[in-house]
Amino acid sequence: MEKRRIISVNVINEHGVLSRISGLFAGRGYNIESLTVAPIPDTDLSRVTIVTDGDERVLEQIVKQLHKLIPVLSVVENDDFLEREMALVKIPIEENLADIEVLSRAYNGHIVNANEKYVIVAVTDKPYRISSFIKAIKKFNPKEIARSGVVALERY
């Protein structure tokens, strides 16, 4: 049975780590839905957050193999993550700015930049709500949409 999974991996921040991690997925024919990497402040470590879906048994094998990679310090995979995603959307200035602002606020966002041609809106919320926002904002004819990928932390 296919199941959506979040895997959080703390690694030593060195070259080649990301390609080795993604290679574990590619080698088994699994797609990575979202991949976010950022340094952990005041350390020489990075956190890699992977969102994927797949068969329970094969994903267990991937998690076991992640534990064996040399630069990997910890692998956390469970169902209790707090997760957020961000989207930036560039919209022509000719659109109704009041309606754009109201819609953005409904998804924990606001207008973050404006110039003579475009406004840029930033929203941060749960991934399914970001998807809903992107569908809703389409009526304002966005010029460009950038989505961050999931960041997640264990709740306990």
Side-chain angles (χ1 to χ4, degrees):
M1 182 171 119
E2 300 265 319
K3 181 180 174 187
R4 181 176 181 273
R5 304 282 283 267
I6 297 175
I7 303 169
S8 179
V9 185
N10 288 341
V11 299
I12 297 171
N13 194 357
E14 61 184 42
H15 69 280
V17 175
L18 186 57
S19 67
R20 289 169 38 203
I21 290 173
S22 62
L24 287 175
F25 285 82
R28 284 152 187 80
Y30 274 89
N31 187 41
I32 294 174
E33 181 182 312
S34 170
L35 178 67
T36 307
V37 182
I40 298 172
D42 303 321
T43 71
D44 62 344
L45 307 176
S46 288
R47 176 171 289 117
V48 180
T49 305
I50 304 162
V51 178
T52 189
D53 56 13
D55 177 74
E56 186 84 26
R57 187 179 55 77
V58 175
L59 287 172
E60 272 183 36
Q61 290 301 311
I62 290 173
V63 169
K64 286 179 184 176
Q65 300 232 339
L66 282 170
H67 281 288
K68 293 179 183 177
L69 287 179
I70 296 301
V72 170
L73 299 179
S74 67
V75 179
V76 177
E77 188 276 326
N78 66 41
D79 294 330
D80 198 21
F81 278 102
L82 175 67
E83 57 183 298
R84 291 293 182 263
E85 190 168 358
M86 184 184 78
L88 295 172
V89 182
K90 186 189 291 184
I91 302 166
I93 197 81
E94 297 85 25
E95 298 295 334
N96 185 326
L97 294 181
D99 289 349
I100 292 168
E101 182 71 19
V102 168
L103 180 61
S104 300
R105 288 188 186 279
Y107 290 91
N108 297 318
H110 55 279
I111 294 172
V112 294
N113 187 275
N115 63 32
E116 64 279 353
K117 290 184 178 182
Y118 300 103
V119 294
I120 297 176
V121 173
V123 294
T124 305
D125 214 320
K126 296 175 183 172
Y128 77 90
R129 289 192 33 90
I130 296 296
S131 296
S132 296
F133 171 76
I134 289 171
K135 287 177 189 169
I137 202 75
K138 294 274 182 165
K139 77 178 200 173
F140 295 106
N141 304 307
K143 174 74 174 163
E144 194 173 348
I145 299 172
R147 199 167 172 168
S148 69
V150 172
V151 293
L153 285 176
E154 284 182 284
R155 290 184 190 268
Y156 61 89

